[in-house]
Amino acid sequence: MPKPENLPPVVVIGAGFSGTLLTIHLLRLGASVVLVERSTAAIGKGLAFGTRRPEHLLNVRAANMSAFPDDPGHFIRWMGFSDREQRNRFVPRLAYGQYLREQLMAAIAGATGRIRIVSDTATGIDTNGRQPVVTLAHEPREVASAVILAAGNLAPSLPEWMGGMAPDTIIADPWIAGALDRIDHARSVVIAGSGLTAIDVIMSLVSAGHTGRITAISRRGLIPRAHARAGPVTEPIAMPQQRGASLVKHIRRRARQIGWQAAVDELRPHTQALWRAHDHHSQARLLRHLKPFWEVHRHRLAPSVEEQLDRLRASGQLRFVAGRLLRAQQGTSGLEIAYRPRGHGELHTMPADVVINCTGPEGNLARVANPLLRDLLAQGLARSDRHRLGLDVDEHLHLVGGDGRPVRDVYAVGPLTRGGIWEMVAVPDIRVQVWQLARRLNGKVRSDLVAAQ
């Protein structure tokens, strides 16, 4: 009679927030796990929480950062916070990375013989047999009862207009370790993008002593808004029945009644259901017209960060520009950046010494170099979602193959699943997603055990 330890483990590919938290839940439920991560330094932290810069603060207040949906006060207790003022703090992301890693180590300590961490790169998945088999670049193949892709946000692609720039004038990915260190503090910097990544870059430059001018340019020039000083208290509401433009009018009306932060926050339990309630064409219209405005209100800054940005703008060191970047060429005294200001037909130019790409993570899988994703696409085991935000998944998070059918025993979690459910980049959303999947996978493992017996 087979024992649980003789059944194939669940293989989790990626050890950032999504993969780490899924592994913690699976281990707590008694499952066996193989956690695959190329960089052991990233385990338990990933890109978002692997930063070592104290100026990078969480974009969610401490009171809502517990890793466990069934224990909302867990992170507060771990930090030693107690009163309401502390609950509303925005702590450094490096502290949260330590929190995640500590929870993983505790789960590993209580799961003797049920966890292996493999430092390698997954390059393919074979689904032709009874169980999926994961191919690794250097280690032996891993037979799995289920495979979960938890790759997080994909690396940004380089905009076409940056393609001909000299390597020493461009930073293609600001999250690469040490990428910003080579910028002379007196140089003029142009940042392509004005979202949360751009804000992180601005904070890092200024904290390092940068004195040169910083210009952040994006199509609409929108900047993430700040959280209220104290968390808005919102009562649970029924999901709004409005759709499309009527839904937008409803949110605006609620914002006038209770404040925009509260109006957005009360939608959070319903955002994914509202997204699915719109058909493909309606979703496309929402992305085309609403997405930039929604994101700057939904994904916010700590109030202290907004205050620092205001001081930098008042001093003249920082400015935000609305416009379309078109080209960059080398002039006699540095780069010359050509752009078309929003609402104007004529071209403008501005000087720069360095350009930093902060256009956000790639969503179009056809442009991704990840070997595993390329293999899955080539095999027809995966496809892009209709809006090219990431992978297409079904309601149970199975990958959807090229033939439109779910792929048995192969799943995705985290930002890769945005196309199907839209809101899946922040901790409060991902923690619920992986918590639910862990319980579903644990039930599957138990069913497999019974069947094997």
Side-chain angles (χ1 to χ4, degrees), residues 7 85 91 116 155 166 177 194 256 260 262 272 275 360 387 435:
L7 291 174
E85 181 180 355
V91 303
R116 282 190 298 117
S194 61
R256 290 192 294 269
W260 69 263
Q272 295 174 12
W275 176 255
H387 306 295
W435 185 74

Side-chain angles (χ1 to χ4, degrees), residues 388-407:
R388 298 190 180 279
L389 298 175
L391 288 168
D392 195 5
V393 296
D394 70 4
E395 66 273 20
H396 300 299
L397 301 179
H398 293 97
L399 295 191
V400 174
D403 59 2
R405 294 186 296 180
V407 179

Side-chain angles (χ1 to χ4, degrees), residues 186-209:
R187 296 295 184 180
S188 173
V189 173
V190 168
I191 299 174
S194 61
L196 291 175
T197 298
I199 303 303
D200 280 342
V201 167
I202 293 167
M203 293 296 100
S204 293
L205 290 173
V206 173
S207 295

Side-chain angles (χ1 to χ4, degrees), residues 260-327:
W260 69 263
Q261 286 104 332
V264 170
D265 288 346
E266 72 179 7
L267 283 180
R268 291 190 63 171
H270 308 297
T271 306
Q272 295 174 12
L274 284 169
W275 176 255
R276 289 192 293 264
H278 288 78
D279 62 24
H280 167 60
H281 297 292
S282 297
Q283 290 174 352
R285 284 196 297 272
L286 288 170
L287 290 174
R288 187 165 57 251
H289 300 296
L290 184 65
K291 176 177 176 286
F293 300 96
W294 171 258
E295 290 194 336
V296 297
H297 290 84
R298 167 68 177 83
H299 304 291
R300 307 169 199 158
L301 303 173
S304 62
V305 173
E306 183 186 55
E307 291 172 358
Q308 189 167 358
L309 291 176
D310 289 342
R311 289 193 294 270
L312 291 169
R313 297 172 77 179
S315 72
Q317 184 181 2
L318 171 66
R319 66 171 181 152
F320 291 92
V321 175
R324 184 187 181 103
L325 288 159
L326 298 174
R327 65 174 181 268

